[in-house]
């Protein structure tokens, strides 16, 4: 009975009382009992530690071995401390002296007889073997049945780590071996009819396990069901051909012939006939390489170097992982063909069917490999361990390359690795083989745009692509640069001479039809994804479907937890398991993404499979709630006392809570693109109001300047959606966000129009806060248009409105803006007082960010008042806060104002430095009007330090900007150019 773990040392010193007191189980969930009462074995990792020690046969496991068992090659930084903590906790739960520390490691000792289920099963298996050898089949069967009843579901269920994975596979294989032995004895004892039903179920669960098929044929034949027995053989032959491309082993073929001949000796077991001795053969099983192989030069070099190192190494293993259709097999076959000369004793190949519903059984593959290597059927043992050992022996002294394509997991691959010097293995899989010891891991991503275009051109033809290069780029982009998708699209086009590339690009532009368009002959992107999806557990499949609903380029763990309505820990486990299948990518720690085509497929699955029907809408509602609740929290941290958060739509799903402003900012900017994508896709009636409020709460995304364009586009989308829904309240709020976006990128006319309409709708809807904001904004815009009296009226109205709403920060903002109006009117003293009043209000609330806005306004007023030192201090304080808050727009504008101050204070060189810094920061943000102003000041500073040529260039650029905008500042720049210098 090979394959069972042996644990004698654990039982060497125990009393009967101890045996009754403490008991352990690993042939199912890892559990412990004392006197029949269950014990708390702790977290999954703690149970993994306990299992590793229980299965160590009483020997000491070093800390390094335990860390490797629990986490593999990439343990967390605190792994050693964690191991010690787990051991300490277990020691408190178990009896004294059971878990011992020894030689820097740990061991489980002194267990009573039968205290560990796997040890009890081993004893029973040995008892059965002994009884069978003595001819007592009845006792042997009974012992094996008792052993098999000790299994309680999956071994080590729910226990993480590579060691647990390996032991699960081994213990399950051992169970099947015990089961086959017991069934064999059942048939020997004449229990044919009873065995048929059990064997039928077993062959369904393990369709490629030929020994079970053989037993079923024999049971059926001995039950008088000859036709069914022959049908089992036909099914087996067809399945092996379809799945592995091999014939049944000779023993099964011989049984078929004996059944056909009604061999009377089938009533008793008989030894197989001897077969010829093994013949040394040189297999050459590699599939043909594709003639249009393109790109991947770095990967080809990397893999070729690993294979070239096989000589002199125990074994060179490279494992390629990636999404279906990314070109893993194509690359592996290409590299294998290039390396053939380095492996003169042959090349083995098998498609392990890991992405299909029935992955190839390792023992079946080993049987095929052994035959290919010249081993006679009579010499091929039945068990996986024996076949694997023989396989390594046959390869000893040979130089053979093994290509294991489309593997399911490392457990399937391990028995198939050569393990001998001079041999090498290439493995392809959709999962990362992180638990395949010693493997060189390669993550294969989609092609680069250039490689994708090259592949498309090779298939379609250079002439057609050259004529429509832009359309060709659109096609490969629509394919997500996925090699399989590109090959299919190109093949369709190549087969249709009347199509242009533009026709194909137009067909692929429709996202809802794209996956249907990407099929040609027996190739289909959707079918490739379907294989991976079909392998998922129900919880994984649900997560895959729902994650595909979100439009963002990636998603954070917390946002995914909201979509799935699961705790973060459970969500992470699910997402990481999807990463292992390559259907999901780990974009960064705590962030995940779907390939564009995979996302389309996931959505199609959600539309087809998600139950109940409202779950998709509920998932997106939870995501929107999560973003809104979290963004509101960020806003509140940045702007204490601001009343906006009190006027936002209520949420049911909670958001994140941050300890400080920096954490809050980190979250907002990290989530910016995904957050705005969520807003844009939330235009349904039940989502629209929350979506617009989310956009408003995330105003820092536009005020920082970092996401101004995306924010403006999103605000436009939401205004249109609110208008279509005839929701005046929501439209007014959307207009405020849109006006703010226009203002911050320098589109002042548009901002003015939107703000006026927002004031009107605010009054009609009885929603005062948007009116306050819009009036404040109208006052700012009036400054730029030099409409000072209008601006004063708007800001006075805004101050009154904010006071009525009890919004102190809003009132302070309007006071600081009114300061700038008074400054433009020449009322410098009033401007200073108003800015000081507003800044003091901010400071009283601990409002750092808005306080910086107040200091910005105060710095302008003090500069005009000639108080340069105080002005510089105020602007410098504002600059530091803006920089700390990552408000790049206002950081740049503060530097610009410092440059103006330096000019006034006769520091032209410092003015030039600050203006240059401002110009750099404002590149791409803030709008052309602000850039024109910075160029004007920079020209003045350069002129004063004698750089008149550069000054002229700056002024000409500024003049072009202002003339293009129709701005009044153009006249000042013309004067500067005419004078040629300023003294």
């Amino acid at each position: 009975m090979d394959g069972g773990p042996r644990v004698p040392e654990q039982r060497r010193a125990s009393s009967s009382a101890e045996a009754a007191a403490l008991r352990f189980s690993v042939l199912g969930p890892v559990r412990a009992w004392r006197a029949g009462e269950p014990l708390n074995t702790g977290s999954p990792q703690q149970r993994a530690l306990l299992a590793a020690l229980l299965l160590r046969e009483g020997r000491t496991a070093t800390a390094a071995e335990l860390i490797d068992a629990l986490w593999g090659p990439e343990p967390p930084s605190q792994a050693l401390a964690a191991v010690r903590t787990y051991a300490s906790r277990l020691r408190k739960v178990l009896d004294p002296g059971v878990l011992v520390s020894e030689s820097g490691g740990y061991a489980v000792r002194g267990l009573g007889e039968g205290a560990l289920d796997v040890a009890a099963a081993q004893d029973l298996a040995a008892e059965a073997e002994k009884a069978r050898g003595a001819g007592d089949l009845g006792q042997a069967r009974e012992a094996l049945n008792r052993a098999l009843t000790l299994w309680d579901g999956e071994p080590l269920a729910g226990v993480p780590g590579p060691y647990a994975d390996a032991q699960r596979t081994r213990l399950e294989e051992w169970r099947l071996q015990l089961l086959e032995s017991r069934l064999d004895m059942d048939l020997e004892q004449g229990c044919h009819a009873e065995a048929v039903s059990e064997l039928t179920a077993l062959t369904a669960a393990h369709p490629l396990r030929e020994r079970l098929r053989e037993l079923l044929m024999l049971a059926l034949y001995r039950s008088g069901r000859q036709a069914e027995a022959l049908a089992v053989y036909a099914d087996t032959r067809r399945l092996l051909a379809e799945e592995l491309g091999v014939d049944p082993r000779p023993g099964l073929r011989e049984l078929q012939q004996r059944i056909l001949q009604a061999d009377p000796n089938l009533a008793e077991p008989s030894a197989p006939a001897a077969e010829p001795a093994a013949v040394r053969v040189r297999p050459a099983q590699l599939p043909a390489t594709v003639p249009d192989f393109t790109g991947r030069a770095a990967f080809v070099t990397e893999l070729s170097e690993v294979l070239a190192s096989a000589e002199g190494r125990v074994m060179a293993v490279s494992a390629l992982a990636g999404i279906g259709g990314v070109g893993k097999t194509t690359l592996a076959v290409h590299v294998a063909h290039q390396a053939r000369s380095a492996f003169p004793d042959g090349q083995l190949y098998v498609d392990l069917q890991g992405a299909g519903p029935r992955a190839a059984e390792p023992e079946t593959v080993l049987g095929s490999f052994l035959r290919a290597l010249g081993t006679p059927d009579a010499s091929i043992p039945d068990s996986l361990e024996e076949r694997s050992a023989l396989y390594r022996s046959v390869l000893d002294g040979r130089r053979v390359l093994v290509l294991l394509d489309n593997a399911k997991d490392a457990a399937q691959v391990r028995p198939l690795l050569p393990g001998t010097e001079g041999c090498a293995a290439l493995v392809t899989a959709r999962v990362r083989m992180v638990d395949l010891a010693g493997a060189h891991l390669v993550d294969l991503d989609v092609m680069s745009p250039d490689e994708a275009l090259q592949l498309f051109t090779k298939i379609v033809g250079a002439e057609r692509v050259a004529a429509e290069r832009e359309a060709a780029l659109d096609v490969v982009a629509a394919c997500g640069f996925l090699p399989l998708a590109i090959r299919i699209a190109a093949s369709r086009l190549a087969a249709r001479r009347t199509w242009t590339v533009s026709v194909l690009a137009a067909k692929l532009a429709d996202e809802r039809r794209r996956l249907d368009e990407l099929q040609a002959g027996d190739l289909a992107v959707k079918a490739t994804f379907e294989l991976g999806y079909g392998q998922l557990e129900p919880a994984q499949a649900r997560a895959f479907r729902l994650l595909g609903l979100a439009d963002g380029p990636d998603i954070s763990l917390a946002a995914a937890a909201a979509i799935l309505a699961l705790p973060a820990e459970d969500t992470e486990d699910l997402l990481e398991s999807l990463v292992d299948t390559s259907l999901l990518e780990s974009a960064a720690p705590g962030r995940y993404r779907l390939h564009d085509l995979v996302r389309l497929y996931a959505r199609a699955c959600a539309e087809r499979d998600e139950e109940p029907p409202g779950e998709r809408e509920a998932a997106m509602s939870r995501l929107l709630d999560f973003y809104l609740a979290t963004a509101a929290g960020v806003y509140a941290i940045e702007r204490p006392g601001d009343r906006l958060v009190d006027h936002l739509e209520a949420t049911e799903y909670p958001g994140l809570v941050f300890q400080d402003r920096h954490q809050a900012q980190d979250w907002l900017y990290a989530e910016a693109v995904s957050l705005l994508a969520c807003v844009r896709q939330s235009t349904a009636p039940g989502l629209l109001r929350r979506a617009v409020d989310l956009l408003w709460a995330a105003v820092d995304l536009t005020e920082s300047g970092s996401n101004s364009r995306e924010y403006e586009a999103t605000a436009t989308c939401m205004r249109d959606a609110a208008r279509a829904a005839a929701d005046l309240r929501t439209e007014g709020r959307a207009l405020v966000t849109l006006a703010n976006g226009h203002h911050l990128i320098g589109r002042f006319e548009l901002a003015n129009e939107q703000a006026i309409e927002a004031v009107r709708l605010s009054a009609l809807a009885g929603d005062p806060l948007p009116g306050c904001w819009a009036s404040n904004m109208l006052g700012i815009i009036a400054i730029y248009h030099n409409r000072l009296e209008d601006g004063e009226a708007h800001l006075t109205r805004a101050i009154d409105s904010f006071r009525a709403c009890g919004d102190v920060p809003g009132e302070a903002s309007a006071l600081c803006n009114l300061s700038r109006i008074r400054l433009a009117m020449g009322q410098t003293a009033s401007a200073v007082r108003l800015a000081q009043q507003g800044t003091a209000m901010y400071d009283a609330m601990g409002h750092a960010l808005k306080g910086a806005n107040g200091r910005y306004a105060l710095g302008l007023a003090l500069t005009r008042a000639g108080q340069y030192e105080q002005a510089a201090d105020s602007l410098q304080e504002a600059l530091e806060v803006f920089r700390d808050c990552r408000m790049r727009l206002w950081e740049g504008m503060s530097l610009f104002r410092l440059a103006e101050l330096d000019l006034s204070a006769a520091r032209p060189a410092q003015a030039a430095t600050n203006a240059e810094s401002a110009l750099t920061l404002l590149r791409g943000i803030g709008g052309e009007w602000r850039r024109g102003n910075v160029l004007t000041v920079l020209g003045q500073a350069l002129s004063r330090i004698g750089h008149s040529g550069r000054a002229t260039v700056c002024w000409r650029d500024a003049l072009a900007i202002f003339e293009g905008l129709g701005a009044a500042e153009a006249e000042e720049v013309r004067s500067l150019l005419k004078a040629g210098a300023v003294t």
Side-chain angles (χ1 to χ4, degrees):
M1 301 293 176
D2 293 335
R6 303 180 186 279
V7 287
E9 294 182 42
Q10 294 177 336
R11 306 193 297 263
R12 59 188 176 193
S14 62
S15 66
S16 57
E18 287 174 330
L22 205 57
R23 188 163 56 87
F24 297 91
S25 164
V26 295
L27 297 176
V30 176
R31 292 172 291 188
W33 297 264
R34 179 183 290 111
E37 291 296 320
L39 302 177
N40 182 6
T41 52
S43 67
Q45 285 78 12
Q46 188 168 307
R47 295 198 301 274
L49 177 71
L50 177 60
L53 294 174
L54 288 170
L55 291 170
R56 253 316 281 168
E57 303 182 4
R59 291 176 286 108
T60 299
T62 67
E65 289 172 329
L66 290 171
I67 289 171
D68 186 64
L70 269 63
W71 293 286
E74 297 181 1
S77 60
Q78 299 298 315
L80 180 58
V83 165
R84 290 171 176 165
T85 299
Y86 299 151
S88 175
R89 291 173 180 170
L90 287 170
R91 191 178 284 116
K92 293 175 183 177
V93 172
L94 305 179
D95 291 347
V98 171
L99 198 161
V100 297
S101 300
E102 186 177 81
S103 303
Y106 302 93
V108 170
R109 301 275 173 78
L111 298 186
E113 198 72 31
L116 179 61
D117 58 357
V118 72
Q122 180 65 40
D123 289 344
L124 289 167
E127 179 185 330
E129 189 172 9
K130 183 178 179 180
R132 187 174 189 179
D136 189 347
L137 291 181
Q139 184 181 346
R141 287 177 64 208
E142 181 185 357
L144 282 182
N145 275 325
R146 286 165 57 201
L148 288 165
T149 58
L150 292 173
W151 267 263
D152 184 17
E154 181 185 52
L156 308 174
V159 173
Y163 179 81
D165 290 340
Q167 291 298 318
R168 252 191 297 275
T169 302
R170 184 162 73 95
L171 291 170
E172 176 59 17
E173 173 60 28
W174 182 40
R175 184 186 74 86
L176 288 172
Q177 291 175 11
L178 295 179
L179 199 50
E180 288 170 346
S181 296
R182 198 219 70 206
L183 286 162
D184 192 31
M185 287 186 277
D186 287 349
L187 298 186
E188 286 189 60
Q189 284 208 304
C191 302
H192 315 123
E194 295 88 341
V196 168
S197 60
E198 188 174 1
L199 281 163
T200 300
L202 285 168
T203 53
H206 307 278
L208 297 176
R209 201 171 179 96
E210 291 184 70
R211 178 57 179 157
L212 289 174
R213 297 273 183 163
E214 187 176 346
L215 290 169
L216 178 57
M217 288 174 65
L218 189 56
L220 286 167
Y221 180 74
R222 290 181 178 175
S223 301
R225 300 157 71 176
Q226 179 181 357
E228 291 181 59
L230 292 171
V232 170
Y233 176 81
D235 289 342
T236 305
R237 181 178 181 183
R238 174 185 51 76
L239 185 64
L240 290 172
E242 290 177 352
E243 299 292 330
L244 300 176
V246 299
D247 291 327
R249 65 182 189 178
L252 205 60
R253 295 201 299 269
E254 180 187 337
L255 179 58
Q256 181 221 21
Q257 290 301 311
R258 293 177 70 190
I259 291 174
L260 285 170
Q261 296 164 9
D263 184 346
N265 293 324
L266 275 184
E268 299 177 4
S270 60
E275 299 210 15
V279 178
R280 191 178 179 98
V281 295
R282 179 182 177 277
Q285 298 182 340
L286 293 178
T289 189
V290 294
D292 49 22
F293 182 85
T294 302
R296 307 296 200 188
F299 288 115
V300 171
T301 301
E302 179 182 348
L303 292 168
S304 297
E305 288 175 353
V306 174
L307 293 181
S309 70
E311 188 173 9
R313 292 178 57 184
V314 172
M315 174 179 55
V317 181
S318 291
L320 285 75
I323 192 175
V326 82
K328 301 180 295 295
T329 299
T330 302
L331 174 60
V333 170
H334 180 79
V335 171
H337 273 284
Q338 285 197 337
R340 285 183 65 181
S341 61
F343 299 94
D345 294 317
Q347 304 86 41
L348 295 168
Y349 170 86
V350 65
D351 181 353
L352 292 173
Q353 301 291 319
R358 294 186 302 275
E361 298 280 358
E363 61 263 42
T364 303
V365 176
L366 285 170
S368 174
F369 279 178
L370 286 168
R371 293 183 194 101
L373 291 165
T375 307
D377 286 282
S379 300
I380 298 176
D382 287 337
S383 76
L384 173 63
E385 286 80 6
E386 290 174 323
R387 287 189 178 191
S388 186
L390 178 60
Y391 171 63
R392 292 191 293 273
S393 298
V394 170
L395 288 176
D396 187 36
R398 300 191 190 187
R399 298 186 62 190
V400 174
L401 174 61
V402 182
L403 177 46
L404 304 173
D405 193 20
N406 195 12
K408 180 180 181 181
D409 50 31
Q412 184 190 32
V413 167
R414 286 191 193 99
L416 308 178
L417 297 177
T420 56
E421 182 179 332
C423 291
L426 273 175
V427 184
T428 75
R430 298 192 181 197
V431 300
R432 296 189 78 243
M433 297 285 179
V434 292
D435 49 347
L436 193 60
H440 176 75
L441 303 181
V442 176
D443 292 325
L444 196 59
D445 203 350
V446 296
M447 287 180 148
S448 68
D450 287 344
E451 288 178 334
L453 189 61
Q454 288 174 27
L455 176 59
F456 185 77
T457 302
K458 282 188 177 182
I459 299 171
V460 172
E463 185 177 345
R464 294 176 78 180
V465 172
E468 296 181 274
R469 179 179 171 82
E470 290 301 318
L473 288 170
D474 289 341
V475 169
V476 296
C479 292
F481 308 110
L482 190 70
L484 176 63
I486 295 166
R487 185 173 295 280
I488 291 171
S491 298
R492 289 192 70 197
L493 184 60
R496 293 162 173 80
R497 303 305 301 179
T498 59
W499 281 18
T500 63
V501 182
S502 298
V503 168
L504 178 59
K507 288 178 175 293
L508 295 177
D510 183 353
E511 286 191 353
R512 296 188 65 83
R513 292 275 308 155
R514 188 176 297 167
L515 287 176
D516 293 328
E517 293 288 346
L518 289 174
Q519 54 184 352
D522 60 351
L523 293 178
V525 172
K526 185 186 291 186
T528 299
F529 296 158
E530 192 76 47
L531 287 173
Y533 178 65
Q535 293 286 305
L536 300 180
E537 297 294 330
Q540 292 176 311
R542 174 181 178 268
F544 174 70
R545 294 192 299 268
L546 295 183
L547 289 174
L549 298 176
D551 271 348
D554 62 4
I555 191 167
S556 67
L557 175 61
I563 287 183
L564 302 181
L566 292 174
E569 295 81 3
D570 296 343
T571 301
E572 184 173 23
D573 289 343
L574 272 176
L575 267 56
E576 288 296 330
S577 70
L578 287 173
V579 170
D580 289 340
T581 69
S582 293
L583 284 172
L584 187 68
E585 300 172 34
S586 180
R591 300 198 72 83
Y592 301 86
R593 67 174 171 235
L594 290 166
H595 183 276
D596 290 346
L597 294 178
V598 176
R599 185 194 309 279
L600 295 178
Y601 173 73
R603 287 185 180 176
C605 290
E607 293 177 3
R608 181 189 68 195
D609 301 338
E610 200 57 53
E611 296 292 342
E615 177 58 12
R616 284 179 290 158
E617 291 75 15
M620 291 308 298
S621 180
R622 289 192 297 270
L623 178 63
L624 182 58
D625 271 0
F626 165 77
Y627 278 136
L628 176 54
T630 309
V634 174
Y635 188 95
I637 289 176
E638 292 277 17
R639 298 168 174 81
D642 196 302
R643 291 296 309 281
L644 173 61
V645 292
D646 300 325
H647 291 263
L648 300 175
E649 286 288 302
T651 58
E652 295 181 7
Y653 194 90
L656 298 176
V657 177
F658 303 106
Q659 299 303 313
D660 59 53
R661 176 166 53 85
H662 294 97
Q663 284 185 349
Q665 290 169 348
D666 288 343
W667 178 86
L668 183 64
Y669 293 120
E671 291 290 334
V673 179
S674 296
L675 182 152
L676 293 174
C678 178
V679 171
R680 286 192 297 273
Q681 69 178 131
S682 300
T683 57
L687 306 176
L688 181 59
R689 286 196 168 193
R690 281 178 286 158
V692 170
D693 281 1
L694 169 56
L695 190 63
W696 198 358
V699 67
D700 279 351
L701 295 180
T702 188
E703 293 215 352
S704 69
S706 58
N707 299 90
S708 297
R709 300 288 177 183
E710 297 89 342
Y711 189 96
E712 180 202 16
T714 304
T716 301
C717 171
M718 302 317 290
R719 177 206 59 191
D720 294 344
R723 188 168 290 168
D727 186 339
L728 298 183
R729 174 185 179 277
T730 304
E731 185 182 350
R733 295 185 172 211
L735 284 167
V736 167
T737 65
L738 183 55
N740 199 37
H742 285 322
H743 156 238
L744 291 168
I745 61 175
R747 295 178 179 171
F748 302 128
E749 291 292 346
L750 285 173
N752 197 69
E753 293 173 10
Q754 308 292 355
I756 290 172
E757 182 66 3
V759 170
R760 187 183 73 84
L761 292 179
S762 172
L764 289 174
D767 186 22
L769 198 59
C772 299
W773 277 57
S775 295
N776 197 19
M777 205 177 309
L778 286 168
I780 300 170
I781 296 167
I783 298 171
Y784 302 140
H785 288 165
N786 202 32
R787 294 184 284 102
L788 303 180
E789 291 183 0
D790 287 347
E792 187 173 35
H794 288 307
L795 289 169
T796 300
R797 184 164 52 249
I799 291 169
D800 292 340
S801 299
F802 278 125
R803 284 175 179 164
C805 291
D807 193 326
V808 177
E811 180 186 349
S813 174
L815 285 169
C816 290
N817 290 329
L818 184 58
S819 165
R820 295 182 60 186
I821 290 281
R822 296 283 169 81
L823 193 64
M825 289 177 166
Q827 301 174 23
T828 305
S830 175
V832 171
R833 285 195 303 271
L834 287 168
Q836 288 173 333
Q837 182 183 353
T839 302
M841 294 170 70
Y842 283 135
D843 290 346
M845 292 180 290
H847 213 314
L849 177 58
K850 297 305 288 183
N853 288 124
R855 284 172 174 79
Y856 178 88
L858 180 58
L860 298 184
L862 291 170
T863 299
R864 183 70 60 84
Q867 301 178 39
Y868 299 136
E869 185 175 347
Q870 298 93 320
D873 288 343
S874 188
L875 287 171
Q876 192 64 42
E877 286 182 46
L879 173 65
E880 290 171 2
V881 173
F882 289 139
R883 185 173 289 155
D884 185 55
C885 292
R886 287 175 280 186
M887 291 286 179
R888 192 158 62 98
L889 170 60
W890 294 111
E891 182 185 352
M893 290 303 296
S894 296
L895 286 165
F896 164 62
R897 297 304 185 183
L898 282 168
E900 286 187 316
L901 184 155
D902 290 329
L903 276 181
S904 299
R907 298 191 291 262
Q910 185 60 43
T913 299
N914 282 328
E916 284 284 7
S917 297
L919 204 60
T920 300
L921 279 166
L922 294 174
R923 184 177 294 121
I925 62 173
E928 287 295 281
W929 181 82
R930 291 185 175 91
R931 181 168 174 267
N933 279 296
V934 176
L935 285 167
T936 301
V937 170
L938 177 58
Q940 290 174 302
L942 291 170
S943 175
R944 292 185 185 184
I945 60 175
H947 296 183
S948 56
R950 282 190 62 199
T952 300
V953 172
C954 289
W955 291 330
R956 284 174 179 168
D957 288 345
L959 180 60
I961 289 171
F962 291 138
E963 286 180 342
L965 295 173
E969 288 80 1
E971 189 57 39
E972 178 192 357
V973 178
R974 290 191 193 99
S975 298
L976 291 170
L977 283 167
K978 186 175 181 180
V982 175
T983 59

